[in-house]
Amino acid sequence: MSHPNAIRLSELSARIRAVVQQAFAGQSYWVKADITSHSFYPDKGIHYFDLVEKDERSGIVARVAANAWGNGSKQIKAFELITGQPFRNNIHVLVQVTVSYHQVHGLQVTVQDVDISFTIGQLEQQKQLTLARLLAENADAVRLVDDRYITRNQELPLPAVIQQIAVVTSGNSAGYQDFHHTLVNNGFGYTFTLDTYFTVVQGEANAELVQQRMLDVFNAGKAYDAVVIIRGGGAQTDFLLFDSYQLGRVVARFPIPVITGIGHQKNETVTDMMAHTAVKTPTKAAELIIAHNRGYEEELLQFRQRILVRAQQAVAIGNRQMYHLQQDIINKARSVIGVGREELLHMQHGIGLGAKQLLRQQQQQVQYMQASLQARPLTRLQREQEKLWQQAQFFKMLAPESMLRRGFALVYKDGQLLKDATDIIAGNHITIQLQDAAIQAVVQSKSNTDERGTDI
């Protein structure tokens, strides 16, 4: 059967192309869509993919083939650099496109630009909703003060020394290796006990796994000084699990200080905001712990130095006081000795005069007795002379010089000759006069002696 109006396919394609060019020439459109079937050829710098629109109930409701090259490819590279998000399947984007029709490849759109803020804004909006939920549902553990989130975990005091550490990380994480190497090979010789709780630390769907490992740390019942959550770097979407509500909640309420070092250099995640202390990388987390312990050690060293200085000051003051006391004792002792020496000389002079006077009296009595006995028999005279001689010897024996030569001593207190020990007590200063010297002494103790038992 012949159709006189039939045309070739190329003619139809040319007409469609002409219509499309007439309708869309010089125009561009900003389109919200998801990326599927993406492939990239680095040597050509060309991206091929489909833009699709999805409906939650009916699935894909629109699809169109797309590409990006030239300026569009450069904009995709900038998008990846700024957001940390690779341009890949299943991401929602806002792209500027132009429409064209190719006689072989059919209808196509070419990406000219990518709205970076749209993708970042979506993530930030989701993050703000999570923070608002944490405030609303955890008022006892999370509060907002001057645009800063204060959590129960942040108010926990860090131990003076951090040694027992629970580490929540990926088993093959390079970040954990950096953390371990920095901590173990610290320059101060500090030692640490690390218990690892390995899990998957990327992908929003794995937030519950990380939450469970935190619960495992709690249920372990160990006296950990801190819990460290670390991972290496990655794309921004790889960190979405750290913006999850369930992980933010468990960190905010956790009864052990939580330190995060999840390798996110650009933004602060919800988990960072809920944790006790947040640093950018696993290495920084290790350095923070080392610096914390070093700070405590320096405080101890400073305290020890203050003790040494004060001890040296106290010793110096004591030495000065001891020197002044010693000088005072020497001066007072010299004064007492001088006074005692003068008193002793005076007493010696008095004793000598008394003995001479007594001797003269006895001599006079002897002369009187001799005169009265001249008339008596010679034998009586001899007896009386013998008595007189004995008395003379007795008086000589009673003289102080004789007593001192025989080993006796004279004891003085406060310049007074002591007859007995009634007024003597421990601590009294006394002077002991011997034959050839005067001795200064201090009474240590006194024991009374019953004179009735004394046999002299």
Side-chain angles (χ1 to χ4, degrees), residues 37 120 206 242 293 390 425 430:
S37 304
I120 294 178
N206 295 317
F242 295 107
N293 291 358
Q390 290 178 354
I425 60 174
I430 61 174

Side-chain angles (χ1 to χ4, degrees), residues 108-167:
Q108 290 185 341
V109 295
T110 300
V111 173
Q112 304 296 333
D113 198 359
V114 183
D115 190 336
I116 298 172
S117 62
F118 175 79
T119 301
I120 294 178
Q122 277 196 320
L123 298 177
E124 182 62 27
Q125 183 179 12
Q126 179 181 347
K127 176 180 175 181
Q128 293 303 321
L129 290 174
T130 300
L131 291 170
R133 182 183 175 190
L134 285 168
L135 284 173
E137 299 181 9
N138 302 273
D140 61 326
V142 184
R143 65 183 187 276
L144 186 62
V145 179
D146 297 331
D147 296 328
R148 180 174 177 267
Y149 290 90
I150 306 298
T151 67
R152 185 184 299 173
N153 189 262
Q154 292 171 3
E155 293 177 331
L156 295 174
L158 276 175
V161 177
I162 300 176
Q163 285 187 301
Q164 303 287 333
I165 304 172
V167 185

Side-chain angles (χ1 to χ4, degrees), residues 297-336:
E297 183 182 13
E298 288 179 347
E299 288 182 4
L300 290 181
L301 292 175
Q302 292 174 1
F303 184 66
R304 183 184 69 175
Q305 185 63 30
R306 288 197 296 270
I307 291 176
L308 289 175
V309 170
R310 291 184 180 180
Q312 290 171 352
Q313 291 173 345
V315 170
I317 292 173
N319 287 337
R320 287 196 296 270
Q321 292 175 342
M322 185 71 71
Y323 173 78
H324 292 313
L325 181 60
Q326 182 183 25
Q327 294 301 312
D328 188 50
I329 291 173
I330 291 173
N331 293 333
K332 288 183 178 180
R334 287 174 177 173
S335 177
V336 171

Side-chain angles (χ1 to χ4, degrees), residues 154-227:
Q154 292 171 3
E155 293 177 331
L156 295 174
L158 276 175
V161 177
I162 300 176
Q163 285 187 301
Q164 303 287 333
I165 304 172
V167 185
V168 179
T169 185
S170 171
N172 57 357
S173 169
Y176 171 69
Q177 300 300 325
D178 294 339
F179 173 81
H180 184 273
H181 177 79
T182 303
L183 205 61
V184 172
N185 296 282
N186 67 87
F188 304 105
Y190 301 148
T191 58
F192 301 90
T193 298
L194 302 178
D195 290 345
T196 51
Y197 293 80
F198 292 127
T199 183
V200 179
V201 289
Q202 67 181 26
E204 187 175 6
N206 295 317
E208 292 184 0
L209 296 178
V210 180
Q211 179 188 18
Q212 182 57 51
R213 297 308 279 155
M214 293 291 290
L215 295 178
D216 292 342
V217 173
F218 175 78
N219 293 326
K222 296 184 178 181
Y224 290 119
D225 299 319
V227 178

Side-chain angles (χ1 to χ4, degrees), residues 20 48 64-67 98-102 104-110:
V20 171
Y48 293 102
V64 64
N67 60 68
T98 56
V99 180
S100 63
Y101 183 84
H102 191 274
V104 176
H105 302 293
L107 182 67
Q108 290 185 341
V109 295
T110 300

Side-chain angles (χ1 to χ4, degrees), residues 337-357:
I337 291 172
V339 172
R341 182 180 291 110
E342 291 178 359
E343 292 179 351
L344 181 60
L345 291 174
H346 179 72
M347 291 177 64
Q348 286 178 339
H349 180 69
I351 291 172
L353 292 177
K356 290 179 180 179
Q357 184 178 2

Side-chain angles (χ1 to χ4, degrees), residues 273-285:
M273 299 167 75
M274 298 297 109
H276 185 283
T277 305
V279 293
K280 292 300 184 182
T281 64
T283 299
K284 292 293 184 183

Side-chain angles (χ1 to χ4, degrees), residues 314-415:
V315 170
I317 292 173
N319 287 337
R320 287 196 296 270
Q321 292 175 342
M322 185 71 71
Y323 173 78
H324 292 313
L325 181 60
Q326 182 183 25
Q327 294 301 312
D328 188 50
I329 291 173
I330 291 173
N331 293 333
K332 288 183 178 180
R334 287 174 177 173
S335 177
V336 171
I337 291 172
V339 172
R341 182 180 291 110
E342 291 178 359
E343 292 179 351
L344 181 60
L345 291 174
H346 179 72
M347 291 177 64
Q348 286 178 339
H349 180 69
I351 291 172
L353 292 177
K356 290 179 180 179
Q357 184 178 2
L358 179 61
L359 182 59
R360 284 196 298 269
Q361 291 175 355
Q362 293 296 323
Q363 288 175 346
Q364 291 174 359
Q365 185 177 0
V366 168
Q367 291 174 358
Y368 173 78
M369 291 177 67
Q370 285 178 343
S372 64
L373 292 174
Q374 285 179 356
R376 296 184 180 184
L378 182 60
T379 55
R380 177 69 179 269
L381 179 60
Q382 290 177 343
R383 276 198 310 271
E384 293 301 328
Q385 286 178 343
E386 180 67 23
K387 283 183 179 181
L388 182 60
W389 183 84
Q390 290 178 354
Q391 287 180 354
Q393 293 301 317
F394 175 74
F395 285 128
K396 289 181 181 181
M397 183 176 63
L398 292 179
E401 294 85 351
S402 178
M403 298 290 287
L404 293 176
R405 283 193 300 271
R406 290 171 57 195
F408 290 93
L410 299 177
V411 180
Y412 298 89
K413 175 189 174 188
D414 299 328

